[in-house]
Amino acid sequence: MARETISEQTLAGEASSSSRKRQRLNSIVGEEVVEEEIEEEEEEEVITEVRSGTMSDLDLLECPVCCNALTAPIFQCDNGHIACSSCCVNLRHKCPACTLPIGNYRCRIMERVVEAIIVPCPNAIHGCSEKFSYGKELVHEKQCGFSCGHIDDDVFLFLQECSDGNQNVDSDEVVAEARSGTMFELDLLDCPVCFKALTAPIYQCDNGHIACSSCCVDVRHKCSACTLPIGNYRCRIMERVVEAIIVPCPNTKHGCPEKFSYGEELVHEKQCGFALCHCPERSCKYAGVYKDLYLHYNDNHRDGWNIFACGLAIQAWMHTCDKILVLQETRAGALVTVQCFEEPNGMFVSVNCIAPSAPGVGEFAYVLSYSDGGKTVSFEMSEMNRIRKVSFQNPEDYMSIPDHCMLFRDSLKMKICIRRRGEKKKEGDEN
Ligand SMILES: [Zn+2]
Ligand SMILES: [Zn+2]
Ligand SMILES: [Zn+2]
Ligand SMILES: [Zn+2]
Ligand SMILES: [Zn+2]
Ligand SMILES: [Zn+2]
Ligand SMILES: [Zn+2]
């Protein structure tokens, strides 16, 4: 596993193109990032980027009729079966799978995918470091200087075992050990209309433009590129390609070992326990996996007062001008932020746990109360919101303290009782 990660990172580093950087930056800007911090974050993200996918099922890139590597032009029938151009001629333009005509309509997206899958020279285990678009490595192989001529199978296996056993060989050789390809142009696997990761069903028009099913509906079944009908004919080979391209979790650089079919990594990312969490201390730029952040906070910022233990009510006193109070669970545990927002008619107070939305992490409930001048406002949440970075934009869930309940606006004297979700409140604990 670790071996694969190394090779992917190296490969991604080699081929990081400016277009992908731009795309990546857009997505960062899309998140709520405090303006002054944007520059720094961009740099970090670009350097550690590992956007590439691996395809081990390379048979998908072969013509299903003659089993030769597919090259443009690639044709498909209305049922989504594909064939290379010479097979279309040999079969007299009848699809061998379903007898529908084949040879009129190109499967252009596959032509681009075949170009975009990069494979090493078959002699990589003998030292050749060249890489090619799928199929072209065979042309090169005939004139490769690392070709050993005839080697018998025993020697071949021996060589392969050597490279298998050696975990520290550089990435070129690692790729060679299994028949797999690498894809950097992952944009090809996104719907060209909505830019979301393609998932089955994928449709194509007669000119070979593709779209996802919801875009077909949105464009009323008129191809947005050429206005021909789209939504009747599936591009089945692309559905299989999207499944077959395996990408690591975007947090692989932070230690997440998980891998997914293209697009599914984004579903996982939302609840990945390795997602970066940012230090809530205003002047601190630290970001790390949540456990590391809790240790960092404990070591660098803890003041000894604002400590909580689950199930025990504690005082949470804050100056309004501070805008944030950070509480830490005992023994370098979870970080909980209490934030106040001045509103025209009072004050909003929100409570969040700094944690990824991963199962079992930062799952708290709380009761918050404010008392002053004999008036009490209280607020209960059975599920504390989890955030990975403090935001000073207005919160979704908050306790509202109306002006008439506040004697002084410059400080808030509150009590909070935080407990782990699923653990019952114990009688007598809250006092
Ligand atoms: Zn063929
Ligand atoms: Zn067919
Ligand atoms: Zn070679
Ligand atoms: Zn779409
Ligand atoms: Zn079209
Ligand atoms: Zn992950
Ligand atoms: Zn810090």
Side-chain angles (χ1 to χ4, degrees):
M1 193 60 82
R3 214 170 10 160
E4 282 169 35
T5 308
I6 291 165
S7 74
E8 277 158 14
Q9 279 173 339
T10 320
L11 292 168
E14 279 169 23
S16 68
S17 74
S18 59
S19 75
R20 264 183 302 112
K21 280 179 193 170
R22 230 176 296 126
Q23 194 184 355
R24 188 74 192 143
L25 297 186
N26 286 343
S27 74
I28 295 163
V29 176
E31 290 169 21
E32 297 161 21
V33 177
V34 181
E35 259 183 358
E36 70 220 31
E37 291 174 10
I38 285 178
E39 258 179 45
E40 217 169 280
E41 299 223 346
E42 282 175 356
E43 250 167 56
E44 183 206 338
E45 292 286 335
V46 171
I47 292 164
T48 54
E49 178 190 354
V50 282
R51 206 171 130 83
S52 73
T54 308
M55 187 184 212
S56 343
D57 192 2
L58 292 179
D59 302 359
L60 288 177
L61 307 181
E62 290 170 358
C63 169
V65 185
C66 65
C67 299
N68 290 330
L70 285 165
T71 46
I74 301 168
F75 294 95
Q76 87 166 53
C77 75
D78 284 351
N79 280 329
H81 305 120
I82 55 166
C84 73
S85 59
S86 64
C87 283
C88 287
V89 174
N90 293 340
L91 297 162
R92 299 176 183 210
H93 301 94
K94 272 199 178 176
C95 173
C98 70
T99 74
L100 283 185
I102 189 164
N104 283 324
Y105 305 125
R106 300 265 287 270
C107 184
R108 290 183 195 269
I109 184 68
M110 266 312 275
E111 297 172 2
R112 297 177 66 193
V113 165
V114 170
E115 277 276 311
I117 300 275
I118 306 300
V119 293
C121 168
N123 294 317
I125 51 168
H126 308 313
C128 182
S129 60
E130 305 235 31
K131 295 193 167 102
F132 304 89
S133 284
Y134 180 76
K136 306 236 166 81
E137 85 281 11
L138 300 175
V139 180
H140 155 85
E141 191 186 10
K142 289 183 190 141
Q143 51 193 22
C144 173
F146 289 87
S147 171
C148 297
H150 173 78
I151 28 171
D152 46 52
D153 287 350
D154 287 348
V155 176
F156 180 79
L157 282 176
F158 171 74
L159 286 168
Q160 206 163 30
E161 271 166 30
C162 289
S163 78
D164 277 353
N166 190 348
Q167 306 250 333
N168 293 323
V169 289
D170 66 290
S171 55
D172 295 338
E173 297 200 38
V174 173
V175 175
E177 75 191 21
R179 200 170 118 86
S180 72
T182 306
M183 187 176 192
F184 299 105
E185 284 176 64
L186 292 177
D187 318 12
L188 291 176
L189 308 181
D190 294 334
C191 169
V193 184
C194 65
F195 303 111
K196 289 186 188 138
L198 286 165
T199 46
I202 301 168
Y203 293 94
Q204 85 165 51
C205 77
D206 284 351
N207 279 328
H209 306 120
I210 55 164
C212 73
S213 60
S214 68
C215 282
C216 287
V217 175
D218 290 348
V219 299
R220 299 177 181 213
H221 300 96
K222 275 195 176 176
C223 173
S224 58
C226 71
T227 74
L228 282 188
I230 190 165
N232 283 325
Y233 306 124
R234 299 265 288 272
C235 184
R236 291 185 194 267
I237 184 69
M238 269 309 278
E239 297 173 0
R240 296 176 64 192
V241 165
V242 169
E243 277 263 330
I245 299 274
I246 304 300
V247 293
C249 167
N251 295 315
T252 182
K253 53 187 176 284
H254 309 310
C256 183
E258 306 236 30
K259 288 177 186 223
F260 303 88
S261 282
Y262 184 74
E264 281 164 27
E265 85 282 11
L266 300 175
V267 179
H268 155 83
E269 189 187 14
K270 291 192 183 125
Q271 47 179 334
C272 173
F274 291 87
L276 283 195
C277 295
H278 296 255
C279 182
E281 192 72 15
R282 220 174 254 236
S283 54
C284 181
K285 303 279 190 205
Y286 180 89
V289 174
Y290 75 97
K291 279 182 191 162
D292 298 334
L293 171 66
Y294 297 167
L295 287 173
H296 157 88
Y297 193 88
N298 185 67
D299 293 346
N300 296 281
H301 311 299
R302 194 172 65 112
D303 69 0
W305 288 102
N306 298 317
I307 301 289
F308 74 89
C310 278
L312 293 177
I314 58 160
Q315 313 274 12
W317 289 14
M318 66 189 293
H319 292 291
T320 311
C321 62
D322 290 342
K323 293 193 162 52
I324 183 166
L325 171 71
V326 181
L327 305 173
Q328 183 161 34
E329 194 182 5
T330 50
R331 289 188 225 106
L335 291 170
V336 169
T337 59
V338 182
Q339 291 178 259
C340 66
F341 300 84
E342 291 198 64
E343 293 297 316
N345 303 313
M347 199 82 78
F348 291 170
V349 181
S350 76
V351 177
N352 296 292
C353 180
I354 299 189
S357 299
V361 181
E363 292 182 332
F364 295 111
Y366 67 93
V367 181
L368 178 69
S369 64
Y370 167 87
S371 307
D372 206 352
K375 291 182 177 158
T376 299
V377 183
S378 67
F379 182 72
E380 183 163 359
M381 280 279 281
S382 59
E383 186 172 350
M384 188 186 291
N385 288 327
R386 287 175 284 184
I387 57 171
R388 294 194 285 112
K389 185 171 194 177
V390 170
S391 153
F392 290 93
Q393 296 188 340
N394 271 8
E396 277 175 33
D397 300 298
Y398 51 82
M399 173 171 82
S400 172
I401 310 172
D403 260 338
H404 63 85
C405 292
M406 283 189 287
L407 285 184
F408 306 103
R409 266 190 90 111
D410 56 347
S411 70
L412 291 171
K413 294 184 175 178
M414 296 173 291
K415 257 188 177 181
I416 188 167
C417 179
I418 299 167
R419 62 188 163 81
R420 232 164 269 290
R421 282 174 60 204
E423 280 176 21
K424 285 252 163 79
K425 278 184 250 184
K426 287 181 215 141
E427 282 300 317
D429 268 354
E430 291 177 65
N431 47 44

